[in-house]
Amino acid sequence: MVANENSEQTNEKLDVLESTRTVISQALEKLGYPEEVFELLKDPMRLLTVRIPIRMDDGSIKIFTGYRAQHNDSVGPTKGGVRFHPNVTETEVKALSIWMSLKAGIVDLPYGGGKGGIICDPREMSFRELEKLSRGYVRAISQIVGPTKDIPAPDVFTNSQIMAWMMDEYSRLREFDSPGFITGKPLVLGGSHGRESATAKGVTICIREAAKRKNIDIKGARVVVQGFGNAGSFLAKFMHDAGAKIVGISDAYGALHDPEGLDIDYLLDRRDSFGTVTKLFKNTISNQGLLELDCDILVPAAIENQITEQNASKVKASIVVEAANGPTTLKATEILTNRDILLVPDVLASSGGVTVSYFEWVQNNQGYYWTEEEVEKRLEDVLVNSFENVYNTSKNRKINMRLSAYMVGVRKMAEASRFRGWV
Ligand code: NAD
């Protein structure tokens, strides 16, 4: 059973990597780049596998496997989160590092993409064990990372405390304080205002921009959000505060539906730190049922492969905004586009996090810190421009938003690689 589940997950991750490569190849072809540029960009330039021995609280020694992938550093240092999860694989880390490159290109940051991960289950580890693992990982990858080489950040099941330990370990190794080594830190260690809710803020801006194009008024618009974790719960709150009616939300255990609008503040109050809330209710519906609800705006903000060839024709929303990474398959993208549903792809919609991570790094480098209002204003400007760029490319070229986002995302990296004489 476990073996089957694992091979299923491995196949899904391979599909995600292959889908990404397919769209990159189409984007490069449309931009007129030769095959060797695709050969360079279809995989990370560097991938380090590390083994980290940790003495556990019970005295035993456990060896953890971790990865750090650096996709392409032609534009600048690579940047991307570190994931702590039992299902981390090399393929997943590779795919995620490519997505980070695309996101950086779309929002025009001076970065390439990077990503890291450790195969572990932090829910079953003590604080002490997690600290040892975080520090061990930094020692293992220290040769290839740094404020001007590759800058990590939080991702699934890692947080500001883990970033603090990692920054401290790196500073000890280098023997000088290095806040710019990592982003997503606590405020007192050089973190940025607005980082925690940045992804959801970015998604909210994309929803607003998409709604304008579809002549939908956010006030009173019916919104469904799949997932009630960091991305989904902040998003539901921002949309609720903007006057939208949140008619459905879900977590891993089921979904809640109320055509009159759910009480988001109450649900936020009751959710646990893993984004679970539906267990408290009796009249739940399934996650599949949630995706097919009558609504104006659908936001998958949980996991990959949720909108597929099987259910894409049943989606009733006019706008789908991907807060999660990879929630819609390529076949489903085609079906939604043919049905004139405006799909805002993950590489654009969820780029608010890396944008504010970049702001954090800039503040660390200059040693001068911005107010929350300044961070929000800059994020707003970056995302509105990026949305417009991707939307206009899609209209002018008569292509879907995913392909146009990839074209915008890949262009700078391809150009920089050519100027450097790599391809
Ligand atoms: P999280 O772990 O905080 O929350 C995940 C939510 O999804 C939880 O409510 C969980 O119950 C739910 N969920 C898990 N399995 C599910 C299933 N099978 N069906 C329905 N719901 C399920 O994670 P997050 O940080 O909110 O990330 C969510 C998605 O957004 C991921 O794809 C992540 O890669 C993407 N993302 C997040 C950020 C960020 O800054 N948090 C940035 C970019 C992209």
Side-chain angles (χ1 to χ4, degrees):
M1 181 65 193
V2 171
N4 276 345
E5 271 177 12
N6 283 345
S7 62
E8 224 172 78
Q9 273 156 7
T10 307
N11 286 341
E12 273 191 6
K13 285 169 184 178
L14 208 56
D15 286 350
V16 167
L17 179 62
E18 282 307 327
S19 305
T20 305
R21 286 175 176 156
T22 303
V23 190
I24 288 186
S25 156
Q26 292 167 350
L28 288 169
E29 201 185 316
K30 284 216 171 286
L31 290 167
Y33 281 102
E35 181 66 18
E36 62 252 31
V37 180
F38 172 68
E39 281 302 311
L40 176 72
L41 299 181
K42 74 175 191 191
D43 262 319
M45 295 189 79
R46 210 167 291 110
L47 175 69
L48 181 65
T49 303
V50 295
R51 306 264 286 148
I52 311 156
I54 299 294
R55 187 172 295 281
M56 307 300 279
D57 290 350
D58 65 3
S60 66
I61 298 275
K62 212 167 160 184
I63 317 290
F64 292 89
T65 300
Y67 305 99
R68 185 74 197 168
Q70 298 171 344
H71 175 238
N72 182 287
D73 55 7
S74 59
V75 172
T78 46
K79 171 120 196 64
V82 183
R83 181 171 289 203
F84 282 12
H85 198 278
N87 300 338
V88 163
T89 66
E90 189 182 302
T91 307
E92 178 182 65
V93 174
K94 277 183 178 183
L96 290 167
S97 74
I98 299 177
W99 280 346
M100 287 308 296
S101 279
L102 293 166
K103 286 186 194 186
I106 290 167
V107 286
D108 199 13
L109 308 180
Y111 290 142
K115 203 77 181 193
I118 303 180
I119 306 169
C120 66
D121 194 344
R123 292 164 296 191
E124 291 179 357
M125 293 171 72
S126 72
F127 216 58
R128 236 174 101 94
E129 290 167 344
L130 275 176
E131 176 175 356
K132 286 186 194 170
L133 185 60
S134 306
R135 291 183 184 277
Y137 179 67
V138 169
R139 285 194 300 277
I141 63 166
S142 70
Q143 288 306 315
I144 64 161
V145 290
T148 53
K149 276 188 184 174
D150 181 15
I151 306 127
D155 194 80
V156 176
F157 290 163
T158 53
N159 54 23
S160 56
Q161 173 62 77
I162 291 177
M163 299 305 109
W165 289 324
M166 289 188 174
M167 189 275 271
D168 184 65
E169 190 65 24
Y170 186 83
S171 298
R172 285 188 196 193
L173 285 172
R174 294 286 176 265
E175 298 182 345
F176 54 81
D177 194 37
S178 312
F181 157 65
I182 205 161
T183 58
K185 301 178 293 294
L187 272 181
V188 289
L189 292 182
S192 175
H193 284 291
R195 174 63 186 85
E196 204 190 1
S197 59
T199 301
K201 265 268 149 61
V203 179
T204 310
I205 296 168
C206 286
I207 293 176
R208 197 192 60 212
E209 293 303 304
K212 274 189 211 158
R213 269 69 174 192
K214 280 280 189 184
N215 288 323
I216 293 176
D217 192 352
I218 293 291
K219 277 205 172 56
R222 295 160 308 154
V223 180
V224 167
V225 183
Q226 184 189 37
F228 209 56
N230 178 285
S233 66
F234 274 118
L235 174 76
K237 172 72 178 151
F238 292 150
M239 292 307 294
H240 172 75
D241 290 350
K245 215 194 273 183
I246 314 298
V247 296
I249 62 111
S250 76
D251 57 29
Y253 303 93
L256 302 175
H257 173 221
D258 184 345
E260 297 311 315
L262 295 159
D263 184 345
I264 293 302
D265 288 323
Y266 175 73
L267 295 175
L268 283 173
D269 200 41
R270 303 303 304 273
R271 75 185 264 274
D272 70 15
S273 60
F274 295 107
T276 308
V277 72
T278 65
K279 276 181 170 175
L280 303 170
F281 297 85
K282 279 209 180 95
N283 295 327
T284 57
I285 60 170
S286 69
N287 261 288
Q288 276 311 309
L290 177 99
L291 298 172
E292 296 166 18
L293 284 177
D294 212 1
C295 66
D296 303 301
I297 299 161
L298 172 64
V299 187
I303 54 168
E304 61 275 8
N305 289 331
Q306 292 303 292
I307 306 178
T308 64
E309 206 175 347
Q310 276 70 45
N311 62 3
S313 55
K314 297 181 193 147
V315 167
K316 300 199 179 59
S318 318
I319 298 172
V320 175
V321 180
E322 298 180 330
N325 282 317
T328 315
T329 64
L330 292 189
K331 277 261 186 304
T333 302
E334 222 177 286
I335 297 171
L336 296 180
T337 309
N338 289 339
R339 293 181 56 213
D340 201 26
I341 294 173
L342 179 55
L343 175 89
V344 185
D346 45 12
V347 282
L348 167 63
S350 69
S351 58
V354 67
T355 305
V356 176
S357 264
Y358 165 63
F359 295 162
E360 181 174 333
W361 180 76
V362 169
Q363 293 171 76
N364 294 150
N365 289 346
Q366 65 187 6
Y368 180 74
Y369 289 84
W370 307 343
T371 62
E372 184 147 8
E373 290 70 38
E374 281 173 289
V375 171
E376 280 189 10
K377 169 80 180 75
R378 289 177 206 259
L379 176 65
E380 165 90 21
D381 290 347
V382 168
L383 277 178
V384 169
N385 286 338
S386 305
F387 185 97
E388 202 169 297
N389 196 2
V390 171
Y391 185 81
N392 291 344
T393 305
S394 113
K395 286 289 159 211
N396 295 340
R397 299 254 188 176
K398 297 188 174 42
I399 54 177
N400 68 48
M401 288 275 281
R402 191 179 310 285
L403 181 52
S404 70
Y406 273 56
M407 284 178 71
V408 173
V410 86
R411 184 183 284 136
K412 199 162 131 187
M413 192 165 42
E415 210 176 306
S417 299
R418 279 185 92 66
F419 269 124
R420 283 181 185 264
W422 292 353
V423 278

